[in-house]
Amino acid sequence: MNVSPTPAVTRLWAEIDRQADAVVGTIADLVRIPSLLGDEAPVQVYVADHLRQTGLATESWDLDDTILGQPNAGNSGIPFAGRPNVAGVLAGSGGGRSLILNGHIDVVSPEPVSAWTRDPWGAEIVGNRMYGRGAYDMKAGVALNLMLPRLLRDAGIGLNGDLIVQSVIEEECTGNGALDMSLRFPADACIVTEPTGGSLTQAHVGVLWFRVAISGVSWHAMQAWKGVNAITKAVPIIQALERLDAELNAQPVHPAFAGINHPINLNIGVIHGGDWPSTVPGACELHCRLSMYPGQSVAGTRAAIERAISRAAMADEWLREHPPVITYDGFGSAGSEVSMDEPAIRLLGAWHQLVAGTEMMPRSGTGINDMRYFNFQGIPSGCYGPGGALAHAADEWLDLDTIVPTAKALGAFLLDWCGAN
Ligand SMILES: [Zn+2]
């Protein structure tokens, strides 16, 4: 597919060049407002104000608890009140295709902060890098979503189709914010502006969080043999989970993940057990994360976990009588994929090629992201955004050199997709 700049695209690109500092300023504003799980309100106020000032019909609302009953919902355990989703609609004049630009506003904890050499909330710029928690994942993407309609306005360009800008909560632990959006706003395509460094996330795994509670019997350690040590009873369960990880990686590889090393990952991320060196621990709990290929179900993955743990328990005299209790929290969602031949993806790829001079390469994510909910609703969706590194790590940074090219590719694509007037 070949594309070439129309007068509207040329005007928008000139506006992007003219206001490049304002785009970076918006990213910095967002980074300086911390937005950890449960504390998303202040930054969402900024987002809603920004959309309103541009002139979009803007709404903020708290998620309803009924979302928890939807397929592929998760449960963070944090009440929804006071942590709104935000959307702004730039209504087109008619006759064009609609587009969602989606981004998550939540960030993961910067802890341990002592590992950072910069202020995680400082948005400090050194050379072509902006440092900060969320600078890369993904406040840069949210800022692009906010600024594109403003740049269109300032360049005097109207759209034929609707543009819907969405800023969602809970991407990092459940996806409920995007799930809610996917049920509210129909559209012809959706781009999630996660930081992909100019590649297109075309497939990604599903993710399931689960907990395994193992019980023992507390006793004074001077007669430890009279108790049952819940920590040592967790060992065969941990070994069974390691075997499950190996088995899942021995299954036929989903074609989108061919060549990726160890695509399925079962992580035992948290262990709680015992509280005193001289007491036999009476309880131990594991918090785990397991991924699955697109097309595999949450129910099927839960069944595989339950089978593996039950087999291990049956081989142990104590665990046979006191089976570990499995519960599910956080993520509980299947993965998804979008065809590189989808018209929206092909068109974005063509504009990326023109701007960047390189092909928009497909990538498959071994982590989860919000694009899935739009694909589940029949709205073709992939991730495309700026570059940088160290997401979820100390000294996370955004490559500022990628901001203007990403804005130009996305902007030209949206003009082409929605139609300009
Ligand atoms: Zn992200």
Side-chain angles (χ1 to χ4, degrees), residues 16 23 29 34 47 71 77 88 92 95 130 132 143 161 181 200 227 230 252-253 307 310 367:
I16 291 169
V23 178
D29 286 349
V47 167
M130 179 190 288
M181 286 291 186
L200 193 284
V253 176
R307 261 197 315 274
S310 144

Side-chain angles (χ1 to χ4, degrees), residues 20 116 127 163 170 221 236 258 262 264 270 401 418:
W116 287 67
L163 175 65
E170 286 200 10
H262 207 89
I264 298 298
V270 178
D401 291 343
C418 298

Side-chain angles (χ1 to χ4, degrees), residues 104 137-138 171-172 194-195 369 392:
H104 67 82
D137 180 16
M138 62 162 285
E171 189 271 350
E172 299 286 7
E194 286 272 14
N369 74 73
H392 296 220

Side-chain angles (χ1 to χ4, degrees), residues 29-42:
D29 286 349
L30 292 172
V31 171
R32 292 189 185 113
I33 308 172
S35 51
L36 299 172
L37 175 65
D39 192 24
E40 302 90 339

